[in-house]
Amino acid sequence: MAQQAAEPGGGAAADAGPESGGPAAKARREPGGAPAVADRAEPGGVAAVPRTPPGGGAPGAGSTDVPGVARLRAWTAGWSSGLAQALGAAVLLVTECVRKDVAPFGTARVRVPDGAGLPGYAADFPRMAEALDAQWWFRAAEAARDAFGFGEPRAALWAAVCAALVVRLNVDGPPRTQCFLSLAGACYCLVAGLSALPYLALAGAALPFALLVGGLAVVLATAAPRVRRRAG
């Protein structure tokens, strides 16, 4: 009888022992069988604390959840820089289409003599360039274009447009570097657009199409990361 009475007591003690072991006790399990993160104990009996990822965001959040990074990203991929970059893409499209008939971007005054072998649609190009060259703001735009482009305006325009698309496609790059590249490229696209007015005039009725293509390129590059995130 004593042995039988001891067994229930011993069994109860054995059952109660693991449950009363403090922080080092068995972790409670959430629905589905996974142990609760906050209840898992580290050596020494101290409950584990969910770790915060680098950047200060919430666990599982991306780097753009940090307020400073989100602000830089807004400058990088915002609509104000996007308008300038869309103009730069349109200028690039037009100048590349007419450069064999007229001259590469930035070399019109050197390469094109008056009426020398120009196609019909570009017959007024030299006079238009000469008339604009008499305006101080046009000369200032050309000087800024050549200075910022290191004497290679066509290559600089390619670099500005490509950099704008890359930083919009890549949301995981260095925020400050990407913001600088985007804003610097947008400024160059504005200067290039002003200095490319004779080229844009050659586009005629195709100019709205070129602007639409440039705008679509910027919009699609901006939206692509969000589409990938939703699909993933």
Side-chain angles (χ1 to χ4, degrees):
M1 294 295 293
Q3 183 178 3
Q4 293 176 356
E7 289 176 354
D15 293 337
E19 297 295 331
S20 59
K26 178 176 61 177
R28 291 193 300 271
R29 292 187 174 272
E30 296 178 340
V37 175
D39 292 339
R40 288 202 297 268
E42 293 181 348
V46 180
V49 179
R51 297 179 179 178
T52 302
S63 60
T64 55
D65 293 332
V66 184
V69 174
R71 192 177 302 112
L72 286 174
R73 186 63 192 172
W75 280 99
T76 302
W79 65 268
S80 54
S81 59
L83 288 176
Q85 291 158 357
L87 173 62
V91 170
L92 184 63
L93 177 62
V94 171
T95 54
E96 289 299 305
C97 288
V98 303
R99 72 184 183 92
K100 289 186 178 180
D101 291 337
V102 180
F105 177 57
T107 60
R109 286 181 297 171
V110 177
R111 293 281 301 275
V112 183
D114 288 340
L118 294 177
Y121 76 93
D124 292 333
F125 182 80
R127 286 192 296 273
M128 188 184 310
E130 184 178 354
L132 285 172
D133 194 50
Q135 305 296 322
W136 67 268
W137 56 267
F138 186 76
R139 293 195 305 272
E142 286 189 321
R145 177 202 67 194
D146 294 338
F148 293 139
F150 301 101
E152 294 291 340
R154 178 171 173 249
L157 184 59
W158 270 103
V161 173
C162 292
L165 298 179
V166 168
V167 298
R168 288 173 179 271
L169 286 168
N170 179 25
V171 297
D172 298 322
R176 290 182 178 84
T177 303
Q178 289 196 324
C179 186
F180 170 77
L181 290 175
S182 179
L183 295 182
C187 292
Y188 188 81
C189 287
L190 283 177
V191 172
L194 283 176
S195 66
L197 286 178
Y199 291 91
L200 296 179
L202 293 180
L207 181 58
F209 173 75
L211 293 172
L212 178 62
V213 170
L216 282 177
V218 172
V219 169
L220 292 177
T222 307
R226 290 195 295 269
V227 174
R228 288 199 306 265
R229 193 179 303 118
R230 290 171 185 170

